[in-house]
Amino acid sequence: MLELDAIDFKILQILHADSRLSHKHIGERVHRTGQAVGQRIQRLIDLNILEKYTLKINFPTTQFIRIMMQNNQFTAFEHFLKDYTAIESSYKVSGSACYMLMTHFSAQELNAFIEQLSVWGHYTVDHVVRPIDTAFLKP
């Protein structure tokens, strides 16, 4: 069982808010040396808890699209998705759909994508009205 302490959670919370901070700056906030923070971060990476450092882009639009496949051409469909840079993430899921996409299409791009998407199956599109800021890791 993975054991994370309060310091590990605080480091993850700080990195989630701003992954550009140096180990030294994070250490000042968790009362540890930069070297100790670096070792903890490396441990979190080695344990596959921390996967990658990333950035968040403020897209003007976001949609969640569910696809219910009409055929079993899953591999071909997954290759089809790679042609669209507006797809931020895609998941093969179980439940009410076969795939879930998070996208950032403009209205015109979304219409063109949906025309192509309808060949593969049925779909639903949910448009994000506004994001809700929630704490990633609560103390």
Side-chain angles (χ1 to χ4, degrees):
M1 185 76 177
L2 299 177
E3 294 274 338
L4 300 181
D5 64 16
I7 301 296
D8 292 327
F9 280 107
K10 185 67 177 171
I11 289 170
L12 289 170
Q13 189 177 41
I14 291 167
L15 286 173
H16 184 354
D18 186 354
S19 63
R20 298 173 299 164
L21 292 175
S22 69
H23 293 171
K24 178 182 176 187
H25 284 99
I26 295 169
E28 290 169 359
R29 295 173 70 180
V30 298
H31 309 291
R32 298 289 186 273
T33 66
Q35 182 179 5
V37 168
Q39 291 170 347
R40 283 179 177 259
I41 289 173
Q42 187 57 53
R43 185 176 130 263
L44 294 169
I45 292 168
D46 293 343
L47 293 171
N48 291 320
I49 293 169
L50 183 58
E51 186 175 331
K52 63 182 176 179
Y53 295 82
T54 188
L55 62 99
K56 183 176 185 252
I57 300 170
N58 187 17
F59 291 102
T61 62
T62 299
Q63 306 87 24
F64 292 96
I65 303 174
R66 291 176 194 83
I67 300 102
M68 291 69 68
M69 298 290 287
Q70 291 178 331
N71 55 45
N72 291 329
Q73 297 181 346
F74 299 109
T75 302
F77 178 72
E78 291 170 15
H79 286 292
F80 158 77
L81 295 177
K82 292 179 182 187
D83 291 337
Y84 293 90
T85 58
I87 298 174
E88 179 178 339
S89 54
S90 57
Y91 304 92
K92 181 137 179 44
V93 298
S94 63
S96 63
C98 299
Y99 289 93
M100 171 71 83
L101 311 177
M102 183 162 82
T103 66
H104 305 288
F105 288 109
S106 68
Q108 185 177 4
E109 293 170 329
L110 181 61
N111 287 335
F113 178 69
I114 285 173
E115 287 181 20
Q116 298 296 315
L117 188 60
S118 63
V119 171
W120 298 95
H122 300 287
Y123 59 87
T124 62
V125 178
D126 295 312
H127 292 272
V128 172
V129 175
R130 68 177 172 83
I132 299 171
D133 188 21
T134 58
F136 170 65
L137 295 168
K138 297 185 170 102

